[in-house]
Amino acid sequence: MIPLWKLKRELARIKLQLRLPFSMAAAMVETRLRTRTGMDRHARRSVRLSAGLIAPLPDMALVLIYQPDGLQASLFQTCRHLTAQGFAPFIVSNTALRDDDRIRLLEACHLLMERPNIGYDFGGYRDGILHLLDAGLRPDNLLVMNDSIWFPLFDDCTLLAEIRAQPDDLFGPVYNDRVEKSHLSHLQSYMFNFKRAALDRPAFRTYWERLVTSANKQLVIRMCEMRMTKAFRDAGFSVGYKWTAADGVAALRALPAADLRRALDYMGGLEPKIAQTLQLLRTGSATDPATGPGEAAVLDALLYRQGVPPYLLKLPPGLLIDAVRLPFLKKDRHLPYQLQRAAFLQDPPATPVNPVIQTEIAGWDRT
């Protein structure tokens, strides 16, 4: 039987497919009007800019937030980590802040922009980046991220140092490698980094000026997140990344048999199709080619039947944190991530997680 949450998701996807051509056309018309009539200048009148207390640093982090019910403690933890690693935080809030929250945040950032929630994350990314370019600010590294993740989970995280050391014009921690549709492969948009050489190229500004944004969230995902990597690659920018789904598969393969069984059971709990496949494989009624005994063979056969590796960020939290050393988890409210947080609390990873973030995860699904 199909779970209600999955049925709702599929119905919403069908509805989107029917509406997508009209939404896309409207978004493109709006973008053309914006560039031809100077609508951006009028929109900027509703943007509030405030100088923070953090001094300028060679590197900068544009952090997009949407926290209309009050600022989360983890945001300040993120800002402290960024500053300690040499990234001056530039906070772009997609909603106006309360006076007390604004005062607290200005103590933790170099610059604060408050804007209407137009265009979701990429609308905020766009406004923030164009402001930096207009102000003549060219950091050595421009890290762009949003508050859809808890970051960093552990205090000895070295990801920012790795980002600073890598040479690519555009770099993201996680690359969604769509092996079945390679043209849709892309960097995940909750965190990516541009080098200064990229900011200095005319194609960089042109991309953000002409970016098609929309009030339709799914359209923003399709037109912005899923197309950004290809757009910059086609413009001659080098693109790099650290993790793909293959890293999750490698971590699964390295598990002892008992731990692998638990991990596969967890994956089956997220997806009924996987659960059914596991049951068939474990009863010996499947005929897929597989080598090796026990759960390792089950994993091989499961991957063969699925045709694609499991989505990295939906894997068991302990595996992601301890084995992959992924320093973030998604705050997504959908059921798979609720189950991930429940597993995190029931069977904590061996790696110590920052207490502020751990407390926030514990209460996340009760709010």
Side-chain angles (χ1 to χ4, degrees):
M1 184 175 180
I2 300 177
L4 182 60
W5 68 267
K6 187 175 181 182
L7 181 61
K8 289 181 178 179
R9 183 189 69 185
E10 294 305 315
L11 290 174
R13 185 175 297 170
I14 293 171
K15 184 178 179 181
L16 172 65
Q17 292 290 344
L18 294 174
R19 296 175 55 184
L20 189 61
F22 304 100
S23 299
M24 188 176 299
M28 294 182 72
V29 169
E30 179 183 343
T31 301
R32 183 164 295 184
L33 286 172
R34 183 181 68 203
T35 55
R36 288 188 176 182
T37 66
M39 286 171 59
D40 272 345
R41 292 192 298 273
H42 299 293
R44 287 174 189 170
R45 294 175 184 172
S46 59
V47 171
R48 176 171 182 168
L49 282 167
S50 306
L53 300 183
I54 299 298
L57 294 169
D59 299 321
M60 182 169 284
L62 191 161
V63 184
L64 189 286
I65 68 171
Y66 181 70
Q67 300 180 13
D69 299 322
L71 299 179
Q72 299 159 11
S74 60
L75 172 60
F76 295 92
Q77 182 65 28
T78 297
C79 288
R80 284 191 289 270
H81 178 74
L82 290 168
T83 303
Q85 295 295 314
F87 285 78
F90 172 18
I91 308 298
V92 178
S93 174
N94 270 1
T95 185
L97 299 173
R98 300 190 311 233
D99 289 343
D100 57 334
D101 279 343
R102 183 180 303 107
I103 292 171
R104 292 171 59 214
L105 199 49
L106 287 175
E107 295 175 352
C109 72
H110 173 64
L111 186 64
L112 172 63
M113 172 185 286
E114 299 168 70
R115 64 183 295 277
N117 189 15
I118 300 172
Y120 293 94
D121 292 352
F122 271 84
Y125 290 167
R126 177 182 181 275
D127 281 358
I129 288 172
L130 289 178
H131 171 76
L132 293 180
L133 295 179
D134 290 343
L137 297 175
R138 299 292 190 276
D140 293 338
N141 289 275
L142 175 59
L143 183 73
V144 181
M145 61 176 292
N146 64 36
D147 63 348
S148 68
I149 55 172
W150 283 288
F151 171 81
L153 294 177
F154 35 88
D155 293 337
D156 61 346
C157 173
T158 61
L159 179 59
L160 295 183
E162 294 177 53
I163 288 175
R164 180 182 284 114
Q166 63 78 35
D168 289 298
D169 298 319
L170 171 59
F171 181 92
V174 178
Y175 186 70
N176 189 354
D177 190 2
R178 303 285 293 272
V179 293
E180 78 286 11
K181 296 179 181 179
S182 59
H183 65 287
L184 296 179
S185 298
H186 61 279
L187 297 174
Q188 299 281 266
S189 65
Y190 44 77
M191 182 183 288
F192 51 92
N193 183 79
F194 287 104
K195 288 294 185 184
R196 176 170 181 167
L199 273 64
D200 288 337
R201 294 172 62 176
F204 181 81
R205 184 183 188 100
T206 298
Y207 172 83
W208 293 105
E209 284 184 336
R210 297 180 180 177
L211 185 69
V212 176
T213 56
S214 170
N216 183 315
K217 187 173 183 179
Q218 291 302 315
L219 186 60
V220 171
I221 293 173
R222 288 172 178 250
M223 297 290 289
C224 300
E225 177 180 21
M226 296 180 67
R227 296 189 179 190
M228 182 187 73
T229 306
K230 185 177 185 301
F232 279 106
R233 186 179 276 140
D234 288 350
F237 291 67
S238 59
V239 175
Y241 48 85
K242 181 173 175 63
W243 292 290
T244 69
D247 293 288
V249 173
L252 287 168
R253 293 191 191 282
L255 290 174
D259 292 340
L260 177 56
R261 184 179 185 89
R262 285 192 292 271
L264 292 175
D265 287 342
Y266 172 89
M267 293 162 60
L270 301 185
E271 178 58 66
K273 183 179 178 181
I274 293 179
Q276 294 167 5
T277 303
L278 288 173
Q279 185 176 8
L280 286 172
L281 292 170
R282 285 167 172 163
T283 56
S285 58
T287 58
D288 299 286
T291 58
E295 291 301 306
V298 171
L299 173 61
D300 287 342
L302 176 67
L303 295 173
Y304 174 80
R305 288 173 68 96
Q306 294 296 113
V308 294
Y311 182 60
L312 181 65
L313 265 71
K314 288 185 180 179
L315 289 175
L319 181 83
L320 289 177
I321 296 171
D322 293 333
V324 181
R325 292 295 290 173
L326 202 73
F328 43 77
L329 290 175
K330 292 284 286 180
K331 298 178 182 178
D332 194 302
R333 301 277 187 178
H334 288 92
L335 183 60
Y337 297 101
Q338 292 183 29
L339 296 175
Q340 186 181 68
R341 289 187 286 274
F344 172 90
L345 297 171
Q346 183 177 356
D347 186 17
T351 302
V353 171
N354 184 277
V356 171
I357 294 177
Q358 190 158 1
T359 299
E360 207 161 281
I361 292 175
W364 194 251
D365 295 309
R366 295 197 297 265
T367 58

